[in-house]
Amino acid sequence: MCDLLSREHLEGYVVGTLDEVDAAALEAHVMECASCETKLQREAALELAFTRVAAHVEHTSRPTRVRRIHVALPMVAGAALTMAAAFLLWIVPHADSDAASRAPAAEEPAPQMVESNADASTFTASLDLQADGSRLGVRD
Amino acid sequence: MATLPLAIRPIAGVPSANEPKADLAERALRGDQAAWNALVSRHNQRVVVALLGRGLSLEKAKDIAQEAWMRLLEQQRAGKLRELKLPALAITQATFLSLDAARKDGRTLALAEGYDCADPQPLPLSRLIGEEQLARAESILAKCSPSARQVFGLVYGGGGLSHADVAERVGLSVQRVRQIVCEVRKELREAFDEEDRHV
């Protein structure tokens, strides 16, 4: 086993940090020394393995971004439903007051007004938005 | 084996080698010989190392790397080259050529994820890196500093960035980038060597 080339030399060659003169000297030796050529191939294989590792790490870090989207979607949906509920809460009393102002109280049957209010209160009570926005449930 | 015309032989220290990569690639795509020189000078070493890592001898690796550059230049001249992502394109070209050469020589290659062994004496690390090794490497990287992880990702990612490119991007000196690469490399190598001893 030849020990002429140190691991640092071989590593420097594959990583590309050896200067031109040292790299040429290393190549000249490796061309004639099977043992050092095998060591150089091993260093180069390690370099390829690192490329694979980098690709793997990049790949496994991607789902994090996807998970963020998954978390964000219920938040957006929750916000939209909250706005819709707020809109309904706002419009129902206004609709009631409009109707009340337009029609004489005697002609408009009171039970219908009570029924509308009952619907609205039922709807608002059914919203179940959690604080972290990660889940939105609707109860009957 | 055909050799590159003198004009596009890899020449270290070509002034234009420091030009921005995108500019060089664009000029090379337009047929600029000096741009080709600079690109070969900048990336040839990585192509040779990629072939060495697949078990080729240094002599064969250098020959095939030259042939790969020749093919790319021919494709550019024939108007078949629309983009020039280096060194990835040159490495792919060289890998195909090495497989072709091995087939002609009657050697059997086990090509999986780019890890084939053209050498009759397989090297432990030239086999396909397994899931366990990947997981171990991932846990080692997780213990590294964020800047070390970033440097590792940029150096070994598919961008083909030089240490100088990486240094500029992360705001560190080239010397520091090289130091980080060596440190992370050492950690990972020890982990892989440990597993090789158990295989």
Side-chain angles (χ1 to χ4, degrees), chain A residues 13 27 42-43 47-48, chain B residues 45 62 115 185 189 193:
Chain A
Y13 181 84
E27 286 183 355
R42 188 181 166 79
E43 281 299 324
E47 201 71 359
L48 282 186
Chain B
Q45 177 84 351
K62 291 184 92 169
Y115 286 80
R185 220 174 176 278
R189 186 222 305 270
D193 282 350

Side-chain angles (χ1 to χ4, degrees), chain B residues 4 8-10 35-45 69:
Chain B
L4 282 173
I8 64 161
R9 277 183 187 280
W36 275 104
N37 280 341
L39 288 172
V40 173
S41 174
R42 185 181 282 195
H43 298 295
N44 189 58
Q45 177 84 351
W69 289 112

Side-chain angles (χ1 to χ4, degrees), chain B:
Chain B
M1 176 69 66
T3 55
L4 282 173
L6 194 61
I8 64 161
R9 277 183 187 280
I11 304 163
V14 174
S16 53
N18 294 324
E19 274 186 40
K21 215 164 70 170
D23 294 352
L24 276 177
E26 276 177 27
R27 282 174 47 203
L29 284 171
R30 289 197 301 267
D32 186 324
Q33 193 88 341
W36 275 104
N37 280 341
L39 288 172
V40 173
S41 174
R42 185 181 282 195
H43 298 295
N44 189 58
Q45 177 84 351
R46 283 206 186 189
V47 182
V48 171
V49 168
L51 294 170
L52 279 169
R54 289 174 166 81
L56 269 72
S57 69
L58 179 60
E59 190 178 7
K60 192 95 179 166
K62 291 184 92 169
D63 280 349
I64 289 180
Q66 272 208 338
E67 181 72 16
W69 289 112
M70 283 272 288
R71 295 288 179 95
L72 290 182
L73 187 60
E74 283 169 8
Q75 286 173 34
Q76 182 273 318
R77 285 176 178 163
K80 292 177 183 172
L81 214 55
R82 293 189 178 175
E83 58 178 349
L84 203 49
K85 286 186 179 173
L86 293 172
L89 187 60
I91 290 172
T92 305
Q93 180 73 64
T95 304
F96 279 122
L97 288 171
S98 68
L99 288 169
D100 199 37
R103 253 193 304 270
K104 282 176 187 165
D105 293 350
R107 283 177 288 156
T108 308
L109 298 182
L111 182 69
E113 295 274 337
Y115 286 80
D116 59 293
C117 185
D119 195 287
Q121 294 176 319
L123 301 162
L125 281 169
S126 63
R127 60 173 157 63
L128 177 66
I129 182 171
E131 289 303 315
E132 279 184 25
Q133 279 180 310
L134 282 174
R136 192 158 181 184
E138 202 174 5
S139 73
I140 288 169
L141 285 171
K143 289 176 195 160
C144 294
S145 68
S147 66
R149 281 200 300 274
Q150 190 185 12
V151 166
F152 181 85
L154 289 170
V155 168
Y156 291 106
L161 299 176
S162 67
H163 291 168
D165 294 334
V166 174
E168 195 180 334
R169 197 172 283 198
V170 298
L172 296 171
S173 68
V174 177
Q175 192 60 32
R176 180 66 190 130
V177 165
R178 287 177 176 171
Q179 195 182 351
I180 289 171
V181 169
C182 286
E183 285 167 4
V184 177
R185 220 174 176 278
K186 189 181 170 206
E187 296 265 337
L188 291 173
R189 186 222 305 270
E190 281 170 4
F192 287 180
D193 282 350
E194 183 70 22
E195 288 206 7
D196 278 342
R197 275 194 285 276
H198 289 101
V199 171

Side-chain angles (χ1 to χ4, degrees), chain A residues 33-88:
Chain A
C33 178
S35 158
C36 287
E37 186 164 69
T38 303
K39 286 193 275 184
L40 184 64
Q41 287 170 329
R42 188 181 166 79
E43 281 299 324
L46 195 60
E47 201 71 359
L48 282 186
F50 292 161
T51 308
R52 175 95 201 276
V53 169
H56 173 76
V57 169
E58 194 191 341
H59 178 75
T60 52
S61 66
R62 268 186 213 142
T64 308
R65 288 194 289 272
V66 174
R67 248 180 264 129
R68 277 188 200 134
I69 292 168
H70 286 165
V71 170
L73 278 175
M75 288 176 76
V76 172
L81 276 170
T82 307
M83 285 175 71
F87 178 71
L88 282 172

